[in-house]
Amino acid sequence: MTETPKQKRKLSRRDFLVLTGVAGGLYFGVTLGVLPFARLKLAEYLDEAGGPPMTVDAVPLAWFEIGTDNLVKIYIPKVEMGQGIHTTLAQAAADELDVPWEDVSVLNVGTGKGLDDPVGTSASNSTSSLFPVLRQAGATVREMLRFEGAKLLGLAAESVSAENGFVTATQDAGKKVSYGEIVGAVKEWVVPEKLPALKKSTDFKYIGKAMPRVDLLDKVLGKTQFGFDVRVENMAYGAVATPPRLGAMIKSASAGEAATMPGVIKVVIEDDFVGVVAERREQAWAALSAVQIEWSEVKVWEQAEIEALVQVGNGRGVTVQTEGDAEGHLRGSVLEAEYYTPMVFHAHMEPQSAAADVRAESATVWASTQSPVSVRGAVAKAIGLEAEQVTAIPTFLGGGFGQKINNIPAVQAARLSKAAGQAVHLGYRRTEDFQNGYIRPPSRSVLRAAVNKNGLIEAIEHKQASGQVAFPFFPVFVSKVMGADFGAYRGAQIRYGVPHKRVDAWLADLPFKTGWWRGLGMLANLFAIESFMDELAVSVGMDPFLFRLANLPLDELGGRMKKVLEATREKSGWDTPAPEGRARGMALAMDVGTLVGCVAEVSVKNKEIRVHKLTGVVDAGMFVNPNGAASQMEGGMNMALSSALFEETQVKNGALSPTNFGAYKFLNNSASPEIVVELLESGDEPLGMGEPPLGPVAPAVANAVFALTGQRLRRLPLKLA
Amino acid sequence: MDLSINGKLYQVEDSPNRTLLWVLRDELGLTGTKFGCGVGICGSCTIQIDGVATRSCLTMLSQVEGKQIRTLEGLATENPDGSLQLHPVQEAFIELQVHQCGYCMSGQIMQAAALLDENPAPSEEEIIAGMDRNLCRCGAYPRIRKAVARAAEIAAGG
Ligand code: FES
Ligand code: FES
C-alpha cells in the first residue's frame, strides 16, 4: 500500500488571534484557521484507519500567554498521560519563540476556553498534529516581538534580533529589551502579513534535544493532581452499583438499611442507576453493598461462546484492501494459518475517576479523561443542561490507553452530584474499573498466501474478525455505513509488496462493551501478519530477515522499511548466534506512518517463556525529544510484551474475569527484559510514538519461541504446550 | 487519635478500623499516596512506617498509632537556606526521566528509598527483587532499575 503524500497546509495571519491583557501581557491564539488543519489531520488518521471523514467543530488548538514577567504559558488541549507531550509541545513553541527553557510552562485547560479539541488525546496524534502549529505560532510571535522591540529601542527592525527572551541591537549587545517589557508596553499588535520562516534544524535549541520533562518535579514531589486526587469545596464521595452479570439491568431497588448508615448523605435510586453519596468513600462503599437491588435475569455467558462469535465470515463484513486478484492466485498449494488474541483490560494504574459539582444552571466536572469535549457533552445530556453550561476540566491521567475516552464515571459523578446537591467524587475500585469500561475485543485472523520458490509472495489474503473498537464512540449511522469497524482493522492491511492481496474484516456483536485500547486493532493484526510472515519464510527455508527484505514494496515506504529492518538486524546482532539456550525472532510494524522493527531474544524453562532482550528500531519521521521517544519505545514494548506473555480477560459465569490485579497478571519488574532502542530519522516532521511501539513485539516473541522450540504459537498470551 | 506524618502531628477521629490510605488521601489531603488495587498487589499506595515500606491500602489506623509515617510529600527536605533538597531517589528519577504517567511512581520512590536505607549499595538483582512488587503499567521498569542504582550513587556522594 503506497503512502499518500501528505498535504501541508500553511498557516496564514488569519489563523491567529491576538489579545492584550488588562495588566499587560500578550495572548496569542492559534484559532479558527486551524480548523481545516485539524480536519486534515483527522482525515489523515481516519483515512489510514479506513474510516469516514467526519465533521469537526473545532476552534483554537493552542494558546500562548507571554507575561510582563517574561514567563511564557502555553495552553494546549491535549492531556498528559505519560507520553510526555507537554514537554515536546513546549519544545516546539519555546524554540521558535526563542525563550529560555525555564521560562516556559505548559498547562492544559478545560472546555469553554476556546480550546475545545474534538479529537481527544488519542491515536498518537498529539505531537504530530500540534507540532507544526506551535512552531509557526512561536515564530510569528517572535517576529512580532522583534518588530515592536525595535521600535522601543528606536531602531529599525533589521538591526535587532530576538533571542533568548530579549530583543537586542545587533551592533550593541547592551542595548536590549526583554519580551516581558515589550508586552508590557505594546497595546496594539500587528500580525505580519507574510508569516516568518521557521528555524532551520541546525538552529534548533530545544527541538530534537533530550529536554527534561516539564511535569516531573511535581510528580516526584507528589503534587500532580490526577483525577483520583481532585478535591473541591464541600465534596462528598460516591459509589455506583455495577451489574453482577453482563447485560443485567436494574429491575427494582430499595435503600433498605443503607439510608441510615453512618455518613450517608443520599441513596440515589433512578431507573437505570443506583448509587450512594456519603461523607467518606468507605462509607459510600459500605452503604452501597447494603442497598437492595434486584437485577434482571440474563443469559449467563461463558468464554467459549464468546470466542465462537468471533469468526471470519460471520456477521457484517467489509473489504479493507484489495489489489490484483488474490482469490484467483490462492488456489492449489497455499499456506494457511489462524491466529487469536484475547480480550484484555487496560489496567491503567489510576482507576477511572471523576468529580462533579452540579448546580441549577451550571456544572463543573473534573475528570481523568482523554476527551474533555465528549465528557462535557455526555454530562450535559445526562443532567439536562446545555453543553455550554458544563465545564469539563481534564486532570493528569494515571494512564489512559484508550479507556479514558469514555465518559462513564464523569456522567455517574454528575448524576450523583445532581441528586445529592453537592460536589461528589467518584473513584472506581479496581473491580469496578474492570467491569465499567470498553475492553480490548477478542480478534481472530485467518491468513493464506502463496509463495514462489524464490521466496516472493505471489498472493496473500487476510481475513479478520473482531468485536467493536471505534464504533461505540461514533454515531450509530457510522457503523451502519461502514460495516466492519475501522478501529478493529487498523493494522490489518498488508504493507509488503505483493501483487495480489486482499484484506476483509468482519464485526462480531458481543454481549459486553469493547473499544479503544492502545493501538486499537494494531497489536492483534500485526501479531497475525508478522507471525505469518515468519511461517512463510520458514516454509521456503529463508531467513526471516531476508524474506521480509525480498518482499518489500518498491516505493518510498519500502525504502523506509528496508532501513528499519537493516538497522534492527544490525542492532540486535541478528547474524551472530544467540547466547546459549536462546533464540531470536523478528517482526516489523507500521502504524500511523511510524515503522518499528523488533527482535526478541528468548529462552524457555519449564515451559515458561522468558524474554531476555528486546531490540526496537523506530522511524517516526523526526524525534522532537529523543529521550522521550526512547521512553515511549521502552514502555510501549513492555506493554506489548505483557500482552504477549500474560494478559487475558475472560467471560466466566456471565461476568468479566479476573476482577483485580494479581489474578489479572501483567508485566512486573523482573519480567521486564533489557530493552535496546535505536531511533532513525527519515524526515522533518514527527509522526506518532504513543502506539506504534506495541506493534511488533508479540510476533517477534512468538517467532523466537518457534525458532527455539519448533512450536508455532498462534494465540495470545503465548503458552507452550 | 494522633498520627505522626512527615514529622507533623495530625488529629484524626479515633476509628481503628479505617484504612490508612483513605485517611491520608481523603481526610488529610495527602494525595501523593496513590490507590491502584486496594488489595496489596500493585504497590501504588506504598508509604514508610518507621522506615519500612508498607502498603497503606492494607494498613489499619490501629496499626500506626505512635509510629512515624512518611509519605512521598515528606521525602524531600528543606536546606538551611529554605530551598528544596530532593531525596537522592527523587533526584535520580528526574535525572533518568523515569516517569511516564507517574501514577505508580510515588509507590516506586517510597519503596526505593526504603530499599536503599536498608541496603545502600544494592546489586542489580537486589534492585529487581526489591522493586518487583511495585507494578508499573506504563512499563518504565528499565529506567526504574537504573534510577535506583543511580540514587545509590548519589546518596554515596556521586
Ligand atoms: S493500592 Fe495498595 S497495593 Fe495496590
Ligand atoms: S509510570 Fe504510569 S504506571 Fe508507572
Side-chain angles (χ1 to χ4, degrees):
Chain A
M1 192 170 177
T2 48
E3 288 275 81
T4 37
K6 272 216 198 89
Q7 291 163 280
K8 284 185 198 157
R9 175 182 177 277
K10 283 217 158 60
L11 295 174
S12 82
R13 67 184 304 233
R14 279 169 301 139
D15 297 321
F16 299 121
L17 180 69
V18 187
L19 295 171
T20 45
V22 193
L26 166 68
Y27 301 79
F28 190 82
V30 187
T31 62
L32 290 167
V34 171
L35 173 56
F37 185 85
R39 218 183 239 149
L40 178 68
K41 274 291 164 193
L42 187 71
E44 266 173 25
Y45 156 63
L46 287 173
D47 194 30
E48 168 148 337
M54 58 189 256
T55 319
V56 182
D57 288 311
V59 279
L61 277 192
W63 195 264
F64 287 180
E65 182 184 316
I66 302 180
T68 49
D69 53 4
N70 292 315
L71 297 183
V72 180
K73 296 194 179 110
I74 305 166
Y75 297 89
I76 52 165
K78 300 291 180 186
V79 297
E80 180 63 64
M81 49 187 177
Q83 73 286 46
I85 44 159
H86 283 189
T87 309
T88 49
L89 295 174
Q91 287 174 262
D95 211 324
E96 294 292 350
L97 268 172
D98 217 314
V99 291
W101 182 246
E102 312 73 65
D103 290 354
V104 178
S105 55
V106 182
L107 300 138
N108 62 355
V109 292
T111 57
K113 298 277 196 307
L115 287 162
D116 300 349
D117 166 33
V119 185
T121 307
S122 60
S124 306
N125 72 3
S126 298
T127 297
S128 57
S129 66
L130 280 179
F131 178 76
V133 174
L134 279 164
R135 281 187 69 191
Q136 187 63 69
T140 307
V141 172
R142 178 180 175 212
E143 183 64 5
M144 289 156 59
L145 287 162
R146 194 175 69 92
F147 193 78
E148 298 297 338
K151 281 204 256 171
L152 289 175
L153 292 171
L155 295 166
E158 300 74 62
S159 43
V160 299
S161 65
E163 265 171 49
N164 212 27
F166 285 92
V167 172
T168 311
T170 342
Q171 301 295 341
D172 176 3
K175 233 181 151 186
K176 60 180 182 179
V177 54
S178 75
Y179 287 5
E181 289 168 307
I182 301 170
V183 300
V186 176
K187 294 286 164 256
E188 292 278 323
W189 292 89
V190 188
V191 182
E193 191 60 51
K194 189 170 165 296
L195 295 187
L198 302 179
K199 277 188 179 175
K200 290 201 288 290
S201 59
T202 44
D203 294 333
F204 286 158
K205 288 182 172 166
Y206 311 127
I207 297 170
K209 309 278 187 310
M211 301 311 292
R213 283 265 298 271
V214 295
D215 51 336
L216 288 207
L217 182 60
D218 277 359
K219 282 183 174 168
V220 299
L221 293 172
K223 286 186 178 166
T224 303
Q225 193 181 54
F226 294 90
F228 223 110
D229 303 333
V230 171
R231 296 165 66 77
V232 296
E233 192 91 5
N234 190 29
M235 185 175 90
Y237 293 91
V240 172
T242 305
R245 289 224 162 98
L246 299 168
M249 313 276 262
I250 295 164
K251 268 175 84 178
S252 68
S254 69
E257 278 169 28
T260 54
M261 283 172 70
V264 171
I265 295 167
K266 179 103 188 166
V267 176
V268 185
I269 296 178
E270 295 170 9
D271 280 355
D272 55 344
F273 182 73
V274 167
V276 174
V277 178
E279 281 159 24
R280 292 181 191 152
R281 213 182 282 283
E282 311 93 296
Q283 293 168 335
W285 289 331
L288 181 67
S289 42
V291 178
Q292 283 151 14
I293 307 174
E294 194 191 341
W295 297 93
S296 63
E297 292 285 322
V298 286
K299 174 173 165 54
V300 181
W301 289 91
E302 295 294 346
Q303 180 65 17
E305 299 171 276
I306 303 298
E307 289 186 26
L309 289 173
V310 186
Q311 299 293 349
V312 303
N314 242 11
R316 286 178 284 167
V318 63
T319 300
V320 177
Q321 183 185 30
T322 174
E323 279 171 44
D325 171 21
E327 204 155 327
H329 289 80
L330 285 172
R331 302 209 177 100
S333 115
V334 299
L335 205 77
E336 176 170 341
E338 181 177 316
Y339 304 85
Y340 177 84
T341 65
M343 291 100 76
V344 301
F345 291 127
H346 296 70
H348 32 70
M349 202 59 79
E350 178 200 26
Q352 301 172 68
S353 59
D357 189 1
V358 176
R359 309 282 171 95
E361 303 289 324
S362 69
T364 309
V365 186
W366 297 260
S368 183
T369 177
Q370 291 174 240
S371 181
V373 169
S374 85
V375 162
R376 178 183 60 180
V379 165
K381 201 171 152 209
I383 58 174
L385 291 177
E386 297 298 321
E388 297 69 48
Q389 294 172 293
V390 177
T391 304
I393 301 173
T395 63
F396 279 87
L397 271 62
F401 311 125
Q403 180 66 282
K404 291 177 180 170
I405 302 261
N406 88 59
N407 310 309
I408 305 169
V411 165
Q412 291 177 340
R415 291 180 75 169
L416 292 174
S417 170
K418 185 178 177 180
Q422 71 181 99
V424 174
H425 187 276
L426 175 66
Y428 286 157
R429 287 169 282 185
R430 181 58 59 185
T431 49
E432 295 162 334
D433 183 78
F434 275 0
Q435 301 297 323
N436 277 302
Y438 296 77
I439 67 173
R440 191 179 82 192
S443 162
R444 195 183 300 279
S445 282
V446 178
L447 281 126
R448 295 200 302 148
V451 186
N452 70 21
K453 48 180 188 312
N454 300 323
L456 296 179
I457 307 171
E458 291 183 329
I460 189 165
E461 176 194 82
H462 179 199
K463 296 184 170 183
Q464 188 261 10
S466 162
Q468 304 196 88
V469 170
F471 283 174
F473 310 98
F474 283 84
V476 178
F477 78 86
V478 174
S479 85
K480 296 247 160 71
V481 174
M482 296 286 303
D485 186 311
F486 56 89
Y489 56 75
R490 176 158 156 195
Q493 290 96 329
I494 306 295
R495 308 286 184 184
Y496 291 95
V498 181
H500 305 283
K501 49 186 166 184
R502 181 175 170 125
V503 179
D504 293 288
W506 283 267
L507 178 66
D509 282 321
L510 301 176
F512 50 90
K513 295 197 282 286
T514 59
W516 303 102
W517 189 95
R518 199 172 181 186
L520 314 190
M522 192 240 328
L523 186 146
N525 288 312
L526 284 169
F527 167 60
I529 295 172
E530 286 296 308
S531 295
F532 193 59
M533 286 297 287
D534 203 72
E535 300 204 41
L536 295 178
V538 169
S539 77
V540 289
M542 266 174 90
D543 174 275
F545 162 74
L546 295 172
F547 179 74
R548 284 184 174 81
L549 214 59
N551 284 289
L552 293 179
L554 301 169
D555 54 10
E556 195 205 325
L557 177 65
R560 288 177 60 214
M561 289 165 89
K562 179 159 184 256
K563 283 206 183 111
V564 169
L565 277 172
E566 279 171 344
T568 308
R569 166 213 200 193
E570 184 75 23
K571 193 86 183 171
S572 64
W574 181 257
D575 292 332
T576 63
E580 178 71 30
R582 300 186 191 174
R584 299 195 186 100
M586 176 181 277
L588 175 68
M590 156 143 170
D591 185 51
V592 294
T594 296
L595 292 166
V596 187
C598 176
V599 166
E601 200 171 287
V602 309
S603 71
V604 169
K605 200 172 154 190
N606 303 329
K607 292 193 180 166
E608 260 194 41
I609 301 165
R610 163 100 207 158
V611 176
H612 299 271
K613 186 172 165 190
L614 288 174
T615 304
V617 174
V618 57
D619 165 2
M622 75 161 296
F623 301 94
V624 183
N625 190 324
N627 196 17
S631 171
Q632 283 297 297
M633 280 290 281
E634 294 159 18
M637 290 171 76
N638 257 345
M639 191 165 179
L641 180 61
S642 187
S643 260
L645 295 183
F646 304 118
E647 294 180 49
E648 174 156 24
T649 302
Q650 296 206 334
V651 171
K652 280 205 180 119
N653 196 21
L656 297 179
S657 164
T659 58
N660 205 331
F661 290 177
Y664 188 77
K665 179 165 166 52
F666 59 91
L667 192 83
N668 56 348
N669 201 319
S670 57
S672 164
E674 176 194 358
I675 299 183
V676 179
V677 172
E678 182 170 334
L679 311 177
L680 288 185
E681 300 223 324
S682 67
D684 55 7
E685 272 194 49
L687 305 166
M689 273 304 300
E691 296 162 309
L694 278 79
V697 176
V701 173
N703 297 341
V705 170
F706 176 81
L708 189 65
T709 66
Q711 278 190 53
R712 179 62 67 183
L713 303 180
R714 300 192 181 93
R715 184 184 169 107
L716 296 186
L718 303 170
K719 288 206 166 58
L720 282 162
Chain B
M1 68 192 276
D2 283 342
L3 291 183
S4 164
I5 307 168
N6 303 327
K8 269 190 255 166
L9 275 187
Y10 291 82
Q11 278 248 308
V12 297
E13 189 198 312
D14 191 7
S15 38
N17 287 330
R18 293 181 69 197
T19 308
L20 179 58
L21 171 66
W22 300 116
V23 174
L24 290 172
R25 289 181 46 86
D26 292 344
E27 185 160 335
L28 305 177
L30 294 167
T31 53
T33 303
K34 303 301 182 198
F35 164 72
C37 68
V39 290
I41 298 283
C42 73
S44 304
C45 65
T46 306
I47 56 165
Q48 293 172 7
I49 296 175
D50 288 343
V52 179
T54 306
R55 310 217 148 180
S56 61
C57 70
L58 297 182
T59 306
M60 297 293 130
L61 278 192
S62 57
Q63 296 167 268
V64 293
E65 191 152 24
K67 306 218 160 135
Q68 298 296 320
I69 300 167
R70 188 136 77 140
T71 71
L72 183 63
E73 289 93 335
L75 199 58
T77 49
E78 216 173 80
N79 288 319
D81 66 353
S83 64
L84 188 72
Q85 178 62 54
L86 293 180
H87 185 280
V89 173
Q90 290 170 311
E91 250 180 75
F93 272 58
I94 291 183
E95 187 180 314
L96 282 141
Q97 298 278 294
V98 177
H99 294 54
Q100 293 198 29
C101 78
Y103 194 81
C104 71
M105 291 296 174
S106 347
Q108 307 275 4
I109 290 173
M110 295 310 284
Q111 182 75 32
L115 172 72
L116 293 181
D117 278 345
E118 218 171 87
N119 179 358
S123 65
E124 168 138 31
E125 287 69 38
E126 288 168 334
I127 291 174
I128 293 175
M131 300 301 296
D132 204 23
R133 289 178 58 243
N134 283 71
L135 300 178
C136 174
R137 182 54 161 169
C138 299
Y141 299 120
R143 291 186 187 217
I144 292 172
R145 304 204 288 242
K146 285 195 193 109
V148 177
R150 175 70 189 124
E153 270 174 36
I154 295 174

